[in-house]
Amino acid sequence: MKHKPDCISIGLARTTLYSGLILFLNYCITTTANAQIVYASAINSGGVATIFYINLATCESCVISPTSPNIGTEDFVMLPDGTHMNMDLGGIRRLEAPPSVAIIWQAGSPQGYATAGQLAPNGLVYLVGPSGLASYNPANNTITLIGPWPAGVSDVYDIFYIDGVLYANGVNQFSDPILIEINVGNPALSIFTAWSIGYTDGEGGNWNGVEGLFFADGSHTIYFYNPQDETVATICDINTDFSIISLTTLPAGLPNYPCISGCNSDAGELAQGGPFNTCVNSTLNIPAATQTVVEADDLLQYILFSNPADTAGSILAVSNSPAFSFAPPMQAGVTYYVAAVVGNAQNGIVDLNDPCLDFSNALEVIWQPLPTIQLAAPNSDVCAGGCRTLDVVLTGTGAFAVMGNLLSGGNVVGTFSETFGGNTGTLVLCVPGGTQPGPVTVQTTALTDAWCICE
C-alpha cells in the first residue's frame, strides 16, 4: 500500500491552492455514461486485494473479482480491451477481465514505477513513482521512461486527471504534501505546490456538475474534493471489512462488470510470523487459518507456492492440513510461501477456476540444507594413549555441535563432543591407552547447526 505520511490528516478545512496551478475559468462540465460508477481495489485484513463495483449515486457496491494476491496493493487501471493492470512493490501485472484474476503479462518495477497508474486519452497508461514519469503501452506491453521529476519532489503517491489536466500528488524534500501538474513531454518542467489534501487513492470525475477528485485514504470511505470551493464531501462508505487502495473508472464503450453473487467464501488469516526456517528433513507445521468461511460446496486447503505475484500459477504442493514437507522440485535455501485457499471442491481439491476463489495472507518459509562435516589429519598415525589434531570443515549455519565415537575393531573405545562457532576449526582426538594396534575409525554420530540435526 502506498505510504501515507503521518503528518497528513483529512478534514474539511482547506488552505488556498496556488492560484496558478489549477484554473477553472470558463468551466466546462462533461459527463460520461459511467460518471457515477467507480471501481475500487481494496484489501482485506490479511492484506489480499479484491475489486469492487461502486455506484456513487446510491453507494451500492459489490465484489466483481475473487480476493487474490494477483491483484496489486498499490493501484489498478482498467484498460480499453477489458483487461486490467495493477502494481505494487512486486512489479506490474496485467490480468484478464474480471472476474478472472489470471495473469497474462507481468514485469518487475523498472526504476520504481510501481506507485500508481492512469489511463490517458492517447491509450497509454502513465506510471508514477519516486524516480519520475513513465508510460506503459497496452498494445505491446512495453514500459518507457519519460523523465525524472523536478528537483524538490521526494515521493509520488497518486496520479489522476481533473478537467483534462494530469496531476500527481506526493511530498517534497521536507515531507510536505504537494500537488504536481505534470508536464508529460518533460516531467522535469512539471509545476508543484502545496496541496492540502495530501495522500489520496483517487480518480478524477464529475459530481453534481463539478469536475473534481474522488478519493479514498486507505479506509472504506470515498470522498470528493471540489476544487471550486476546496471542500471535501463524504460520498460513500463501502464494505467495512476492506480498505480501499485504488479507484478507477471504465474506459468508454465497456459495459459494467457484473457482481459475483453469493461469494461468501473466505480463506481467513494465517497467524503472522516468519520467515520460517525448516530443515529439509523436517515437516513445516503452522497454525490453521482462522476467521474462515467455508460454504457447503467449498473445500479449505493449504498451498505451497513459489511466486507471490502468481499464486495459483506457481503452486508446488497442496495439503488438507497446514503441514508441508520438503520434496522435489523444491530447493534448499529458496524462499517459498504458504497460504490457505477456499473454493469449490472438485475431485478432492480446490477448483482454482472458481470465481469465488479466496486466498489468505501468505507466510514465507525456507527449507534449510542439512549440515555436513569433513575431517582431515595431516598425519593419520597415532599411538595408543596419544592424541591427534584434525582439521574440521563444516557446511551449514553456525553454531555447530558435533558428537561422535572412536572405533577400534568395531568397538567403541572413545567418544568426543565439540562445538564450533564458524565453518572451520580443529578437533583434538585422543586414543585411549591399551587400544589394540590397527585402524581407528572416527565416526560422527550427530551434527547440529542453527537449523538442522543430522543423526
Side-chain angles (χ1 to χ4, degrees):
M1 186 183 300
K2 298 186 280 290
H3 171 68
K4 181 178 180 181
D6 294 336
C7 60
I8 297 172
S9 61
I10 298 298
L12 296 181
R14 300 295 172 204
T15 58
T16 302
L17 292 178
Y18 174 66
S19 61
L21 180 60
I22 304 177
L23 297 179
F24 293 96
L25 303 177
N26 300 318
Y27 200 83
C28 178
I29 299 173
T30 59
T31 60
T32 65
N34 292 327
Q36 304 300 314
I37 303 299
V38 296
Y39 289 84
S41 63
I43 58 172
N44 61 17
S45 58
V48 187
T50 190
I51 301 176
F52 278 87
Y53 160 99
I54 305 173
N55 186 326
L56 295 178
T58 64
C59 291
E60 294 176 314
S61 66
C62 67
V63 172
I64 66 166
S65 78
T67 304
S68 172
N70 292 353
I71 302 172
T73 55
E74 288 287 348
D75 200 5
F76 88 118
V77 179
M78 297 292 192
L79 299 177
D81 65 351
T83 63
H84 60 105
M85 65 179 296
N86 64 70
M87 57 210 69
D88 56 26
L89 294 179
I92 299 174
R93 293 163 292 277
R94 186 171 181 176
L95 275 59
E96 294 178 350
S100 173
V101 290
I103 296 174
I104 55 179
W105 173 85
Q106 62 182 323
S109 179
Q111 306 298 321
Y113 300 111
T115 302
Q118 175 66 51
L119 180 65
N122 60 12
L124 299 177
V125 176
Y126 289 118
L127 304 172
V128 295
S131 301
L133 182 71
S135 66
Y136 164 76
N137 188 340
N140 53 19
N141 293 321
T142 57
I143 297 173
T144 303
L145 170 65
I146 299 176
W149 301 119
V153 175
S154 176
D155 205 351
V156 177
Y157 303 135
D158 199 10
I159 180 171
F160 46 84
Y161 281 100
I162 297 180
D163 203 25
V165 180
L166 187 62
Y167 298 99
N169 61 42
V171 293
N172 62 17
Q173 70 269 36
F174 306 110
S175 297
D176 300 319
I178 58 173
L179 182 67
I180 306 168
E181 182 178 348
I182 299 175
N183 184 319
V184 175
N186 186 351
L189 299 180
S190 299
I191 302 170
F192 68 92
T193 190
W195 169 239
S196 60
I197 302 297
Y199 168 92
T200 62
D201 301 295
E203 179 78 358
N206 184 290
W207 183 249
N208 294 330
V210 176
E211 291 289 337
L213 178 67
F214 296 105
F215 70 95
D217 59 358
S219 71
H220 50 80
T221 304
I222 299 176
Y223 306 91
F224 181 76
Y225 170 72
N226 181 339
Q228 293 188 359
D229 57 15
E230 299 176 19
T231 59
V232 172
T234 299
I235 304 299
C236 290
D237 282 334
I238 67 163
N239 192 318
T240 56
D241 292 332
F242 288 82
S243 299
I244 299 171
I245 53 175
S246 177
L247 294 175
T248 190
T249 54
L250 286 185
L254 288 179
N256 286 314
Y257 292 105
C259 299
I260 300 177
S261 60
C263 282
N264 297 316
S265 303
D266 191 337
E269 293 186 55
L270 298 179
Q272 296 293 338
F276 295 94
N277 287 278
T278 302
C279 187
V280 294
N281 61 354
S282 301
T283 298
L284 169 71
N285 291 281
I286 60 173
T290 60
Q291 305 177 46
T292 60
V293 177
V294 183
E295 298 183 324
D297 57 349
D298 282 346
L299 187 62
L300 169 66
Q301 291 186 310
Y302 298 86
I303 57 171
L304 177 76
F305 58 101
S306 61
N307 184 0
D310 184 15
T311 300
S314 64
I315 294 175
L316 300 174
V318 179
S319 174
N320 290 325
S321 63
F324 291 93
S325 298
F326 185 81
M330 297 166 58
Q331 299 179 21
V334 174
T335 299
Y336 296 98
Y337 305 86
V338 173
V341 59
V342 166
N344 289 337
Q346 184 181 64
N347 300 321
I349 60 173
V350 171
D351 180 8
L352 297 179
N353 294 314
D354 178 4
C356 294
L357 186 74
D358 188 60
F359 295 98
S360 73
N361 59 309
L363 304 179
E364 295 183 3
V365 58
I366 302 171
W367 267 272
Q368 298 291 344
L370 296 175
T372 65
I373 184 171
Q374 290 183 337
L375 303 174
N379 183 353
S380 59
D381 293 334
V382 63
C383 296
C387 299
R388 182 65 65 210
T389 299
L390 280 66
D391 293 325
V392 179
V393 177
L394 298 139
T395 65
T397 304
F400 299 89
V402 182
M403 297 178 64
N405 297 325
L406 293 178
L407 302 177
S408 176
N411 298 316
V412 176
V413 296
T415 62
F416 61 90
S417 177
E418 188 63 77
T419 59
F420 299 89
N423 293 88
T424 60
T426 58
L427 177 65
V428 178
L429 297 180
C430 297
V431 179
T435 302
Q436 295 296 317
V440 175
T441 302
V442 180
Q443 177 190 59
T444 302
T445 58
L447 173 61
T448 303
D449 73 350
W451 310 116
C452 301
I453 299 175
C454 294
E455 295 180 320

